[in-house]
Amino acid sequence: MRKRFTLQEYKEGVLSGDRTKLSQAITLAESSLESDFALASDLVQEVLSYTGKSIRIGITGVPGVGKSTFIETFGQLLLDSGKSVAVLAVDPSSQKSKGSILGDKTRMEKLAGDKRAFIRPSPTGSTLGGVSSKTREAMLLCEAAGFDVILVETVGVGQSETAVKSMVDFFLLLMLAGAGDELQGIKKGIMEMADGVVIHKADGDNQTSAKKAKSSYENALHLFPLGENNWSTPVMTASSLNGVGLMEIWEMILDFESKMLRSGFWESNRAEQRLNWLDENLQFLLSKFFLEHQQVQKMLTQNRSRVENGELSPLALARDLISTFFHSNQKL
Amino acid sequence: MRKRFTLQEYKEGVLSGDRTKLSQAITLAESSLESDFALASDLVQEVLSYTGKSIRIGITGVPGVGKSTFIETFGQLLLDSGKSVAVLAVDPSSQKSKGSILGDKTRMEKLAGDKRAFIRPSPTGSTLGGVSSKTREAMLLCEAAGFDVILVETVGVGQSETAVKSMVDFFLLLMLAGAGDELQGIKKGIMEMADGVVIHKADGDNQTSAKKAKSSYENALHLFPLGENNWSTPVMTASSLNGVGLMEIWEMILDFESKMLRSGFWESNRAEQRLNWLDENLQFLLSKFFLEHQQVQKMLTQNRSRVENGELSPLALARDLISTFFHSNQKL
């Protein structure tokens, strides 16, 4: 059975940078127990004024693009620059990619062995909605523990990218040269979400094709509209194998940070993300109460496929479900 | 004061293709009165088995790209091919673009004067959530009235594109040649949503630059991942001024239709859209009840900015709001 601590114990542990207590606090935040939720929520509130000082970087790319190797090498470089680094993963890796059943820690041995780094293996068996909101909490807890850079890793094939994009300052997309078949794996829409694109594994025989891919993507992205931050997405090449191009990526991110701080986008983006997080939480909790309602559940199970095949109007079912929900709730 | 009819009167009017009754039915669906919502919902359910036989085409592009002229000419071509055409607009045009205060009908004179066409001027002053769900109902009502093609027009600068994308079979993006400044107007993410891109106003001096733009976009889109329908987005040039390229666009859409019918994507996409519509309605109604709750409103007004500036945790506020909502509801 898992041991709980008091709010004060968690808070002091996290703020002092105690890795074990930080881990335990994240576990608390990831718990689905009602009582843990209350405590975790109080803890986040308690440490809130100590958060927000890190650079939050989302990293995505299909399995095989070398995310773990990249994070291992990139993280090392950050440590060497005097930054402390926390790595969080959004997707349950055991479900999504092969060979990582032992957890993320075994994929990033050097980083995991370094005391200035903190790697949080991905939670398994959780739903996306749950995991994504918990990742935000984990991120804030890591910030309160004093980490300078938070890397949030996600696999670019599911729905988690939008969630990660909505909680980071910078969203990095790793790609492979060749721009052919391997593209099929990336989900449509992710290219336009990226703040930076890296053609990874640009080493050995790949160097020429990586350079070619870089220039193709530069031309392509040039044709696409800029976001409201007015940032034109750079395309770079990098090799984690021999460490080439990684410092340039870090400099690019620092350039982004300084431009966005100057324009005010950095803070306005974070403010918007906080409000989105509020909305997400409200929707999540409302849906939760709604879907746990027995009559609602029954009615939905019986009629969902009738909506799906066009027999029953979504409007009609929605109206019935809502009135069932509020009617019986009011009777309580 | 607006006249109401019985469910039977609306139903018969719509199914017989009576334009006046169709207009009145759409007005009913757009109403924000509780009683109208119930009647409109019943009407949609009553005509549901007569819907789904049209091709639903979303058309987007920034103001100035020539959407009205395109729809006027393209609609004419469809009529000449023996198809009946309904045009719906999502954005309140009077707020978004200049010169259309008199309504969409004056922008599409020829089409508006043709009895085989039906143009629904955009509703004004409505919120997006409202309008978008109402557009779905308007679309179904038009289908029940027997229209073969539904064109849903939206301005590519706001949030309505995602809503339109989620209710159509084919999403067409109109662009201008030059690929420079005019791009700034389009919202990021829209390019990757398009099933077809048209470089519009490819006439006179524009022809060369339009061809160049076409080939640039072809190269760019080739680098981007395919969606789950496995459709590679074509790029075409067209001039509504002299009618060049419009038949090719229609043939491209028919090609899309036949491929998607064969692969099963056509129906699976519509099934998914119906379920999404159910979700949207549920979320909309739940939020409505929630936000109309007085104590919730008060608490939200007092604390929203504290969340925005990072002083109050979204988790904590969400928890307080939800417990306030259900607590007092249960007391009723």
Side-chain angles (χ1 to χ4, degrees):
Chain A
M1 187 161 162
R2 180 159 57 86
K3 183 167 167 24
R4 264 88 173 173
F5 302 91
T6 64
L7 177 58
Q8 199 54 30
E9 284 169 330
Y10 278 119
K11 182 181 170 183
E12 281 169 13
V14 167
L15 290 182
S16 71
D18 176 339
R19 304 304 160 95
T20 311
K21 210 49 122 285
L22 174 60
S23 277
Q24 288 162 335
I26 296 178
T27 303
L28 177 79
E30 284 169 355
S31 161
S32 52
L33 290 178
E34 201 92 5
S35 56
D36 285 341
F37 177 65
L39 186 53
S41 165
D42 288 343
L43 177 59
V44 169
Q45 179 59 41
E46 283 288 315
V47 303
L48 203 61
S49 58
Y50 302 92
T51 67
K53 290 174 200 88
S54 81
I55 300 187
R56 304 162 179 172
I57 304 171
I59 297 175
T60 193
V62 295
V65 79
K67 280 188 302 300
S68 305
T69 333
F70 177 81
I71 291 173
E72 168 93 335
T73 318
F74 190 64
Q76 210 69 45
L77 177 146
L78 295 175
L79 295 181
D80 292 347
S81 319
K83 304 283 181 192
S84 55
V85 179
V87 181
L88 305 170
V90 163
D91 301 86
S93 56
S94 56
Q95 294 173 12
K96 298 270 176 176
S97 63
K98 289 168 283 180
S100 56
I101 295 169
L102 295 174
D104 297 303
K105 283 197 182 180
T106 60
R107 294 191 289 136
M108 303 169 193
E109 280 179 15
K110 268 193 251 164
L111 209 56
D114 197 302
K115 283 185 178 153
R116 296 160 301 171
F118 175 79
I119 300 182
R120 177 72 185 185
S122 24
T124 46
S126 319
T127 60
L128 176 70
V131 178
S132 81
S133 32
K134 270 88 202 242
T135 306
R136 281 194 210 240
E137 291 167 56
M139 192 173 73
L140 294 179
L141 292 170
C142 287
E143 286 186 344
F147 288 96
D148 302 313
V149 182
I150 319 281
L151 304 178
V152 185
E153 178 193 0
T154 174
V155 179
V157 293
Q159 292 184 296
S160 54
E161 290 69 37
T162 318
V164 171
K165 170 81 179 171
S166 79
M167 68 179 82
V168 297
D169 303 310
F170 190 95
F171 195 61
L172 189 70
L173 171 63
L174 300 189
M175 309 223 8
L176 292 175
D181 294 340
E182 67 280 353
L183 255 180
Q184 311 298 329
I186 296 196
K187 221 194 142 197
K188 202 168 175 167
I190 299 213
M191 284 291 299
E192 285 200 70
M193 274 165 45
D195 298 305
V197 174
V198 169
I199 316 290
H200 198 216
K201 298 189 180 177
D203 37 46
D205 293 345
N206 282 332
Q207 288 184 69
T208 316
S209 57
K211 268 183 203 158
K212 220 180 128 192
K214 170 182 149 75
S215 117
S216 300
Y217 277 105
E218 273 170 349
N219 289 334
L221 287 166
H222 181 70
L223 292 172
F224 280 59
L226 298 182
E228 50 169 329
N229 59 8
N230 231 25
W231 171 258
S232 169
T233 307
V235 185
M236 319 187 77
T237 59
S239 162
S240 298
L241 192 67
N242 51 34
V244 168
L246 296 173
M247 185 46 95
E248 286 79 359
I249 295 170
W250 177 234
E251 280 162 4
M252 184 246 299
I253 294 173
L254 290 178
D255 178 42
F256 177 87
E257 183 194 29
S258 91
K259 282 187 174 131
M260 296 308 135
L261 282 172
R262 221 177 308 138
S263 73
F265 181 83
W266 190 269
E267 184 44 35
S268 69
N269 183 48
R270 285 195 170 183
E272 199 185 316
Q273 289 180 340
R274 288 183 203 112
L275 290 179
N276 286 343
W277 189 20
L278 174 63
D279 276 355
E280 275 170 38
N281 268 293
L282 287 174
Q283 278 187 8
F284 177 78
L285 291 171
L286 278 173
S287 302
K288 188 173 170 296
F289 277 97
F290 182 71
L291 295 172
E292 278 172 357
H293 189 282
Q294 279 203 318
Q295 281 169 271
V296 164
Q297 240 175 32
K298 200 179 157 194
M299 193 183 275
L300 198 54
T301 310
Q302 283 169 345
N303 295 293
R304 201 169 174 277
S305 62
R306 293 180 63 216
V307 165
E308 193 172 10
N309 65 28
E311 193 183 319
L312 178 63
S313 158
L315 286 173
L317 181 56
R319 203 181 47 165
D320 286 352
L321 285 167
I322 294 283
S323 81
T324 299
F325 181 62
F326 283 108
H327 184 64
S328 66
N329 246 6
Q330 282 172 6
K331 271 190 180 161
L332 283 174
Chain B
M1 189 161 159
R2 180 158 57 85
K3 185 168 168 17
R4 263 85 171 177
F5 303 92
T6 65
L7 176 59
Q8 200 54 30
E9 284 169 330
Y10 278 119
K11 182 183 172 183
E12 282 169 11
V14 167
L15 290 180
S16 70
D18 177 339
R19 305 301 160 97
T20 313
K21 210 51 121 283
L22 174 60
S23 276
Q24 288 161 336
I26 296 177
T27 303
L28 177 79
E30 285 170 353
S31 160
S32 53
L33 290 178
E34 201 91 7
S35 56
D36 286 342
F37 177 64
L39 186 53
S41 165
D42 287 343
L43 177 60
V44 168
Q45 178 58 40
E46 283 288 316
V47 303
L48 202 62
S49 59
Y50 301 92
T51 67
K53 290 172 199 90
S54 81
I55 300 187
R56 304 162 180 173
I57 304 171
I59 297 175
T60 194
V62 294
V65 80
K67 278 189 303 299
S68 305
T69 333
F70 177 81
I71 291 173
E72 169 94 335
T73 319
F74 190 64
Q76 210 70 45
L77 177 146
L78 295 175
L79 294 180
D80 293 347
S81 320
K83 304 283 181 193
S84 56
V85 179
V87 181
L88 305 170
V90 162
D91 300 86
S93 55
S94 56
Q95 294 174 11
K96 296 272 177 177
S97 63
K98 288 168 285 180
S100 57
I101 295 168
L102 296 172
D104 297 303
K105 283 197 180 179
T106 60
R107 293 192 290 139
M108 303 169 193
E109 281 179 14
K110 268 193 249 165
L111 209 58
D114 197 302
K115 284 184 177 153
R116 298 161 299 171
F118 175 80
I119 300 183
R120 177 71 184 185
S122 25
T124 46
S126 319
T127 60
L128 176 72
V131 178
S132 80
S133 31
K134 269 89 203 242
T135 305
R136 282 195 209 239
E137 292 167 53
M139 192 173 73
L140 293 179
L141 292 169
C142 288
E143 286 187 343
F147 288 96
D148 302 314
V149 181
I150 318 281
L151 304 177
V152 185
E153 179 194 359
T154 173
V155 179
V157 293
Q159 292 184 296
S160 54
E161 291 67 40
T162 318
V164 171
K165 170 82 179 171
S166 79
M167 67 179 84
V168 298
D169 303 310
F170 190 95
F171 195 62
L172 189 69
L173 170 63
L174 301 188
M175 309 224 6
L176 292 174
D181 295 339
E182 66 281 353
L183 254 182
Q184 312 297 330
I186 297 194
K187 220 193 143 197
K188 201 166 176 169
I190 299 216
M191 284 291 298
E192 284 201 71
M193 274 165 44
D195 298 305
V197 173
V198 169
I199 316 290
H200 198 218
K201 297 189 179 175
D203 37 45
D205 293 346
N206 282 332
Q207 288 184 66
T208 316
S209 58
K211 268 183 204 159
K212 219 180 128 191
K214 172 182 148 73
S215 116
S216 299
Y217 277 105
E218 273 171 350
N219 288 335
L221 287 166
H222 181 70
L223 291 173
F224 281 58
L226 299 180
E228 50 169 330
N229 60 8
N230 231 25
W231 171 258
S232 168
T233 308
V235 184
M236 319 187 77
T237 59
S239 162
S240 298
L241 192 68
N242 50 35
V244 168
L246 296 173
M247 185 48 95
E248 286 79 359
I249 294 170
W250 178 234
E251 280 162 2
M252 182 245 299
I253 294 173
L254 290 178
D255 177 42
F256 177 87
E257 183 193 29
S258 92
K259 283 188 174 131
M260 296 308 134
L261 282 171
R262 222 178 308 138
S263 73
F265 181 83
W266 191 269
E267 184 44 35
S268 69
N269 183 47
R270 283 194 171 184
E272 198 185 316
Q273 289 180 338
R274 287 183 203 110
L275 290 179
N276 285 343
W277 190 19
L278 174 64
D279 276 354
E280 277 170 35
N281 268 293
L282 287 174
Q283 278 188 7
F284 177 78
L285 291 171
L286 279 174
S287 301
K288 189 172 169 296
F289 278 96
F290 182 71
L291 295 173
E292 279 171 357
H293 189 283
Q294 279 201 318
Q295 279 169 272
V296 164
Q297 242 173 32
K298 200 179 156 195
M299 192 182 274
L300 199 52
T301 311
Q302 284 169 344
N303 295 293
R304 202 170 174 277
S305 62
R306 293 179 62 214
V307 165
E308 193 173 9
N309 65 29
E311 191 184 322
L312 178 64
S313 157
L315 285 172
L317 181 56
R319 202 181 49 166
D320 286 351
L321 285 167
I322 294 284
S323 83
T324 299
F325 181 61
F326 284 109
H327 184 64
S328 66
N329 246 6
Q330 283 174 4
K331 271 190 181 163
L332 283 175

